[in-house]
Amino acid sequence: MFRRLPEAESRPVIPFTFEGRPAEGRAGDSVAAAVLALGELACRETAISRTPRGPYCLMGVCFDCLMEIDGVPNRQACMVPLAPGMRVARQRGPRQPWP
Amino acid sequence: MTLPARDSYDLVVVGAGPAGMGAVAECAGQGISLLWVDEQPSPGGQIHRGLAAPLSALAGAYQRGLALLSAARAAQAEYLPGATVWQIEPGASLGVSVGGASRLVAARRVILATGALERPMPIPGWTLPGVMTVGGAQTLLKAQGLVPSGRVVLVGTGPLLWLFAAQMLAVGARPALILDTTPAGNARRALRHLPGFLASPYLARGLGLLRRVRRAVPVRRGEHPAIRPRPAGGLLIAWESGEAEADLILLHQGVVPHVHPAQAAGCALAWSEAQACFVPVTDAWGESSIPGIAIAGDGAGIAGAEAAEYGGRIAALQALAALGRIDAATRDARAAPLLAARARWLAGRAFLDALFLPKPAQRQAAPEAIACRCEEVSGAALRQAVRQGATGPNQLKAFLRCGMGPCQGRQCALTVVETIAAERGLSPAAIGPLRARNPIKPVTLAEIAAMPVSEADIAAVLGRR
C-alpha cells in the first residue's frame, strides 16, 4: 500500500518489533509510518465495536492511530518518533485499568 | 527533549509552521524572552514537513520554508520540538508536555499558530483501514518518503487533492483515479470572485498543476461516494454513476482552522459562511477576544501558507509593541508592506473558497455513515438524539458522547454542528460550536502530579500563607 522512495530507503535502519515480530523502519519514521510501511493498514481495534481501524490524519488530531508502545497503551503512534528496540503492538479495545 | 527552561516568558509562540516561523523571525534582535513550542519533531508545519531533509523531487517547494526557518533561527528563541500544549488559560499560563513531563509557564503574550486540520468527510466507510486523508498521505511522503502504491483512489475536492496528485506524479507514482466530489454549481457561484483570484499569485500555480494531473490521471465526478470492504480484500468505492476497486483511498474536502487551543483559552469564535467553519474572532493584528492572546495563520481562518507567514509577522509586531520593545509608529511602518503582501494572497481566497466548498449534504453525516469516529456514532443516531431533544453539540455529549472521545471533537465537531443545524432547521451559527476544555490534549494525572510546585502553589492549596 506504500513503498519507500529509494532516497528514503537509504536512511539508517531502525529495528523494532511489531506484535512481537522483528521489523525495520527508517530514521525519521513515526511509529505509525513505520507500521504502515510494513503493509499493516490497521493499527488497533476500536474501543466501542472492536473493529479494525488504521491511522487517518498522521498529524496528531484524529487519535485513530492509538497503539501500545513499549507497554504503554493509548499512545498516538503518528506523534511518537520510532526508536531502536521499540516494542509496538496494536491497541485492542480501550486501555485496561491498572490492576 | 527538554522542558521549558524558565517559569515565565515575554512571548510564547505555539506552532512552527509558516505563521509560527514568521512570528519568531520578526522577533529577531528584540531582546525578549521567547519560548517557541511545536508538537512536531521538526519545524516547518504540515506544509513544510520534512524540511530538515526534503526529498529531491519536492525540494523546489521547500525553498521559501528554508529561508523562513533560517530567519526564525536567527531570533534565538528557546525552541522546543515535540512539545504538546495541553492547557491554555486566559492568564496566560500554558501547560507544556515534553517527553512525558510537564511544566506550567506564564506568558505576557501568546501567539497561537496552530494551523489547520482537514475538514471531516463523513461518508460511509471512511473509518475502514486503508482509508486515510490526503493530508496524511502527504505527510508520509514528505517526512518518510512513503508513496501510496497499488490502486490509489483520491476522493474529494480542494487544492490539496490536486497538489498531492501532482506530487505523486513528481515522484513517479500515479493515482488510479480521482473522484472529484466538487458540487455542480460551485464554479458558477465562484465566478463573481474571479477578478480577485486573477490578480492573486494563485492563478499560475493552480492552472499548471491541474493540467499536469488531468493529463495523467482519469477523473470521474460524483458527489456522494460510499466505501465498503471487498470480501476478497481491498476496498470498493461506489458513487452515483460508477464504482472502482482500490487498495488505498485518500479523502479530502478542504481544511478548517484548528480552533481547540484558541477555544481552550476562551477566545470567541464566529461562524464563517464562506468557509463553513468556526473561526476565532480576530482583528487585523490577529488579536483575539482575550487580551494578550493572538492567533496567526490558518488557525485564524484558512488563507494559505504565504498569508500565514505574513500573519505571524504582523502578530509579532503587535506583541513587540505591547511589550514596549517598539513604538506604534515603528510597528505600523514595519507592518505596512506585510499587510499589503497578505492582502494580495487573501484576494484570491474567496474564489478558492467558493469553488471548492463542499455542499451541506457533504458536510453532514449520512444516516449510515459514522459521524464521530472515536465513539462510533452514526448519522442516524445523531439525528435521533436531536429528535429526542439534544439542541446542540454540548447537550449531545450527554446523549451520545460525541466529542468526548480521545480526539475531543476535533474530527466530529463540525459534522455534529452542521447535522444538528440541518435537523433543527437552524444555521450552524445559531447552534454554536462544541466547547473545547482544558486539557486539550490527553495528559496523565501522574504527569500533572509530578509537575514542579512553588511555595505559592502549596500555600494556595493549603489555604494559608
Side-chain angles (χ1 to χ4, degrees), chain A residues 1-5 7-8 11 28-30 33 36 46 48-49 52-53 56-64 79, chain B residues 39 49 55-56 116 126-127 129 132-133 136 140 143-149 172 247 373 376 407 410 441-442:
Chain A
M1 310 309 120
F2 289 91
R3 65 179 170 83
R4 211 182 286 264
L5 292 173
E7 65 180 289
R11 291 174 185 168
D29 280 1
S30 63
L36 287 169
T46 59
I48 311 292
S49 68
R53 186 71 67 85
Y56 183 68
C57 80
L58 279 305
M59 56 175 270
V61 294
C62 80
F63 289 74
D64 263 326
M79 301 298 289
Chain B
E39 198 166 26
R49 271 292 190 113
L55 298 169
S56 50
W126 73 311
T127 51
M132 59 178 70
T133 67
L140 292 168
Q144 283 93 26
L146 290 170
V147 194
S149 65
D247 300 306
R373 298 173 63 95
E376 300 179 62
C407 94
R410 285 171 173 85
K441 280 276 173 129

Side-chain angles (χ1 to χ4, degrees), chain B residues 118-123 155-159 180-186 189 223-224 252-256 271-277 352-364 414 418:
Chain B
E118 288 178 89
R119 182 193 295 282
M121 191 162 170
I123 62 172
V155 184
T157 186
D180 182 356
T181 63
T182 309
N186 269 26
R189 279 188 288 274
E223 295 184 4
H224 293 285
H252 180 77
Q253 56 176 3
V255 295
V256 295
W271 177 258
S272 161
E273 200 62 44
Q275 298 192 338
C277 58
L352 293 174
D353 288 345
L355 184 62
F356 292 119
L357 188 70
K359 63 184 184 181
Q362 294 170 319
R363 308 193 307 251
Q364 300 153 11
L414 284 173
E418 293 217 59

Side-chain angles (χ1 to χ4, degrees), chain B residues 14 25 30 41 73 149 159 182 202 208 213 220-221 240 270 289 353 361 385-386 419 421 434 456 458:
Chain B
V14 183
Q30 295 295 329
R73 292 239 191 260
S149 65
T182 309
Y202 281 117
V213 173
R220 302 282 179 273
R221 289 192 40 81
E240 290 89 330
S289 63
D353 288 345
V386 174
T419 307
L434 177 82
I458 295 167

